[in-house]
Amino acid sequence: MGTLKKYNGRLFTTEVLMVLVGLLFLVPFYFLFVNSVKPFGDIMTNSASWPAVFKWENYSKAWELTRFPQAFSNSFGITVVSVVLMALFAAMGAYWMVRSDTKFNKMLFFLFVAAMVVPFQSIMIPLLKVINVLGVNNSRTGLILTYLGLGAPMSIFLFHGFVKAIPLEIEEAATVDGCNPYGVFFRIVLPMLRPMLMTVIVLNTLWVWNDYLLPSLILQKPDMRTIPLATFAFFGQYTKQWDIALPALVLGIAPVIIFFLMLQRYIVEGIAAGSVKG
Amino acid sequence: MGNKKMARLGPQLVFVGPVLIFFTIIMIIPFLLGMYYSFTDWNGVAGTVTWVGFKNFQQIFTNDPDFWKSFWFTTRFTLVGVVLTNIVGFALAYFLTKGLKLRNVLRTVFFMPNVIGGLLLGFIWQFIFIKGFSTLGDLTGWSFFNLPWLGDAATGFWGITIVFVWQSAGYLMVVYISSLTNVPTEVMEAAEIDGANRWQMLKNIIIPLIMPAVTICLFLAISWAFKMFDLNLSLTKGGPFKSTESVAMNVYVEAFQNNRYGLGTAKSLLFFLVVAIITIFQVRLTKSKEVEA
């Protein structure tokens, strides 16, 4: 739709207006960045101006005070392990639920779909009890385990729709050639799932990386803090000390912004694909 | 027959087993436990948990003005937030599919806020509302910027709404774009030849054809808005005087600050019921409006 039209004056006006809207969307990032390098006094006198001096020490202070490298590696480790395992287990489960159409599997799939409307807040209180009983409170294992459970419904749902569209013939041919179900899945089906794997990985990465509430309930030790937890703790301590708080925020959002700019094609396509199925 | 069943048992356990175990431990068991605890006086610490029947629910319905205040706040926020973010998201998608030269750059810009978590976004905007707006007020003289942003109930509400729309519109835009590019050009051309104007085409052709996307976008926006927690925490912490406290936050405070876990789970059960009813109702309603091209 649309692209068939010639580029005319009307379209040019639209273009200009949209660029203005785009700039409006970027204004918060402007404020964040310019003030993150100003001395405190300059932030207080004029927060809209371009910095007269660039005080990069703000950043080294924030880097040390938030213990950024530690928070980053915590976030990174937790996200990678949870997201990869989540995608693998969900793909396996969804594959078999489609291919083995038993009553049990049908009911199970219905349960997964129904669980998609359960808000996290409505199970979080007893969930913590379960985590305590299992003895994995205050540990990365406990957090990752929780993500594997919470992420299952949506990931299963996305893979389920995708597997249904894969023709059976290829798998049947492989079975005739003597391939067992595991070989069929790992050598034939999994590679074909790649587009949906990307979608599931992207959606879950953004969720796990940015999540605050769940890790705040499970991880209490300061040296285990993820970026959102470290930022929250830092903000409580340095309220209104904007010359350290703002560079800390820039550091906090930088990894995910870089991730997005590098992989934006996959991210945008993944979201479009994921929600059409939803 | 029996042999075939046995042959399928192995793969069933290997393929479905792991995800089923995590799902059961993390979602099913807590969900069932929650139903039980909502009828008890559990405080999270004590070893003994006493069955109290409907006392928690009775208390919520007769003697908990804060909960209903948070419920009313969440309802208003959901209504306003969902409508605004869908209008903005659709408008952005509509103009970006017109063949603009900078459409890819603009799409990146509009989507960018969405990749940042609500907590950090809220802190960024706290600075904008408090310091940025006062500077803009000095520069422009507009009284809009000199309101006590985040300092009273009204500016708190609109502050959270603005950030919510800024964060979520880009995501909905992506969904709307993928739906808009699937509207067949022949239909559009035929309508143009028949003399339909832009507004008629939008109302009578485009919107009916993209109803599946509308279903999804409403569903997403409702569940984000209704479950909103991070923005709430980082922008207003529910204040001043609980005037901007969402239901999610009310449940959190009840359990983890007041240590009334039983009451908290009762609230969270009600919260689940409301979310489930609203989303099922909305999906039914908009699905019935979907048409084929």
Side-chain angles (χ1 to χ4, degrees):
Chain A
M1 190 191 113
T3 37
L4 67 158
K5 293 231 184 74
K6 255 190 274 165
Y7 199 81
N8 51 23
R10 196 182 171 114
L11 214 48
F12 180 72
T13 318
T14 311
E15 183 114 41
V16 172
L17 286 174
M18 289 304 278
V19 168
L20 289 177
V21 178
L23 289 175
L24 192 66
F25 259 70
L26 290 177
V27 165
F29 293 111
Y30 169 81
F31 271 93
L32 173 66
F33 178 73
V34 296
N35 290 296
S36 72
V37 289
K38 286 181 193 172
F40 188 72
D42 292 6
I43 301 176
M44 296 322 273
T45 46
N46 187 349
S47 65
S49 67
W50 188 253
V53 280
F54 284 79
K55 199 178 160 220
W56 295 107
E57 298 97 275
N58 289 353
Y59 276 84
S60 45
K61 252 196 232 164
W63 179 279
E64 273 164 36
L65 287 171
T66 51
R67 294 204 269 167
F68 185 76
Q70 191 180 48
F72 176 84
S73 67
N74 287 339
S75 276
F76 188 81
I78 287 165
T79 307
V80 170
V81 177
S82 325
V83 167
V84 169
L85 291 179
M86 210 186 295
L88 177 69
F89 293 150
M92 285 161 53
Y95 166 71
W96 196 254
M97 278 193 265
V98 174
R99 290 295 180 243
S100 172
D101 204 14
T102 59
K103 260 207 189 108
F104 178 80
N105 282 343
K106 271 189 203 149
M107 192 199 73
L108 194 58
F109 180 63
F110 174 78
L111 258 185
F112 277 117
V113 174
M116 282 168 54
V117 295
V118 176
F120 171 69
Q121 285 91 355
S122 66
I123 54 165
M124 69 179 172
I125 305 168
L127 171 64
L128 283 189
K129 166 100 179 166
V130 172
I131 294 291
N132 272 327
V133 169
L134 291 176
V136 285
N137 189 22
N138 222 341
S139 76
R140 294 182 190 91
T141 318
L143 184 59
I144 291 168
L145 179 92
T146 312
Y147 279 128
L148 292 180
L150 292 175
M154 196 196 62
S155 311
I156 286 269
F157 178 70
L158 290 174
F159 281 125
H160 197 273
F162 197 86
V163 172
K164 266 203 285 192
I166 296 179
L168 247 175
E169 288 77 31
I170 312 169
E171 292 168 48
E172 279 168 348
T175 314
V176 172
D177 289 346
C179 214
N180 65 25
Y182 313 107
V184 170
F185 177 76
F186 284 101
R187 282 197 225 132
I188 298 165
V189 177
L190 202 56
M192 286 199 288
L193 287 178
R194 248 188 80 182
M196 197 39 88
L197 270 172
M198 284 302 283
T199 300
V200 169
I201 287 175
V202 160
L203 290 174
N204 287 329
T205 302
L206 291 178
W207 162 49
V208 173
W209 182 271
N210 289 323
D211 194 21
Y212 166 77
L213 183 53
L214 175 64
S216 82
L217 297 172
I218 293 188
L219 305 176
Q220 281 97 31
K221 281 192 207 136
D223 60 338
M224 285 188 186
R225 278 177 190 153
T226 60
I227 288 178
L229 295 186
T231 313
F232 186 79
F234 186 74
F235 245 76
Q237 220 175 338
Y238 295 90
T239 324
K240 308 288 182 277
Q241 292 200 38
W242 296 114
D243 56 333
I244 327 175
L246 294 176
L249 285 176
V250 175
L251 291 174
I253 66 170
V256 77
I257 295 272
I258 293 168
F259 172 77
F260 166 61
L261 291 178
M262 275 175 13
L263 298 174
Q264 59 160 316
R265 220 193 81 216
Y266 299 102
I267 293 173
V268 169
E269 277 170 12
I271 281 166
S275 46
V276 172
K277 299 274 169 192
Chain B
M1 199 59 204
N3 255 340
K4 206 180 159 199
K5 252 191 186 164
M6 284 308 285
R8 304 215 110 195
L9 188 62
Q12 170 80 25
L13 291 176
V14 173
F15 282 118
V16 184
V19 77
L20 182 57
I21 290 173
F22 296 121
F23 179 62
T24 309
I25 296 173
I26 301 301
M27 293 197 79
I28 296 181
I29 293 177
F31 188 81
L32 298 175
L33 272 179
M35 292 217 280
Y36 164 68
Y37 281 130
S38 61
F39 293 98
T40 68
D41 66 351
W42 184 36
N43 67 7
V45 200
T48 53
V49 174
T50 324
W51 180 268
V52 295
F54 283 94
K55 207 176 130 219
N56 289 328
F57 293 96
Q58 201 183 356
Q59 183 172 351
I60 294 168
F61 280 102
T62 57
N63 189 20
D64 197 341
D66 284 346
F67 180 71
W68 295 105
K69 208 162 134 185
S70 73
F71 203 86
W72 175 229
F73 169 80
T74 308
T75 310
R76 276 184 302 142
F77 169 73
T78 305
L79 277 173
V80 177
V82 167
V83 170
L84 285 181
T85 190
N86 271 282
I87 291 175
V88 174
F90 176 77
L92 296 176
Y94 180 73
F95 291 114
L96 285 191
T97 47
K98 288 265 168 204
L100 301 186
K101 290 202 181 348
L102 292 171
R103 60 180 178 272
N104 288 334
V105 181
L106 287 167
R107 192 184 64 177
T108 306
V109 168
F110 295 135
F111 189 78
M112 196 146 69
N114 198 270
V115 300
I116 305 169
L119 191 87
L120 273 72
L121 271 188
F123 285 141
I124 294 172
W125 274 88
Q126 207 189 86
F127 176 74
I128 313 261
F129 282 130
I130 292 168
K131 274 313 299 170
F133 272 28
S134 83
T135 304
L136 290 173
D138 292 343
L139 292 174
T140 59
W142 294 354
S143 58
F144 171 81
F145 290 119
N146 289 324
L147 294 170
W149 280 96
L150 304 181
D152 60 25
T155 55
F157 176 85
W158 287 105
I160 297 175
T161 308
I162 290 170
V163 183
F164 176 75
V165 172
W166 184 73
Q167 178 189 24
S168 54
Y171 193 105
L172 304 185
M173 171 196 74
V174 168
V175 181
Y176 281 127
I177 285 178
S178 77
S179 180
L180 281 170
T181 44
N182 285 329
V183 172
T185 31
E186 308 88 64
V187 183
M188 299 294 291
E189 279 165 358
E192 225 173 347
I193 292 164
D194 289 345
N197 64 32
R198 274 158 211 275
W199 174 244
Q200 284 169 328
M201 275 162 55
L202 183 67
K203 199 174 83 142
N204 298 327
I205 300 172
I206 298 177
I207 292 184
L209 282 178
I210 62 156
M211 276 317 276
V214 176
T215 305
I216 296 156
C217 288
L218 284 177
F219 173 83
L220 288 171
I222 290 173
S223 67
W224 292 334
F226 219 86
K227 296 188 257 181
M228 188 248 324
F229 180 85
D230 292 11
L231 281 183
N232 204 183
L233 181 69
S234 54
L235 279 170
T236 65
K237 286 206 167 77
F241 308 112
K242 290 181 174 287
S243 59
T244 60
E245 186 176 80
S246 66
V247 178
M249 186 166 246
N250 183 278
V251 172
Y252 175 87
V253 169
E254 195 66 73
F256 301 119
Q257 284 177 16
N258 303 342
N259 283 328
R260 289 190 287 205
Y261 283 56
L263 193 57
T265 48
K267 286 180 177 185
S268 65
L269 192 64
L270 288 177
F271 183 52
F272 159 70
L273 286 175
V274 173
V275 171
I277 291 168
I278 293 175
T279 44
I280 291 167
F281 180 73
Q282 175 262 319
V283 171
R284 284 260 164 102
L285 185 78
T286 40
K287 270 226 185 282
S288 69
K289 299 225 185 319
E290 289 177 13
V291 294
E292 298 273 329

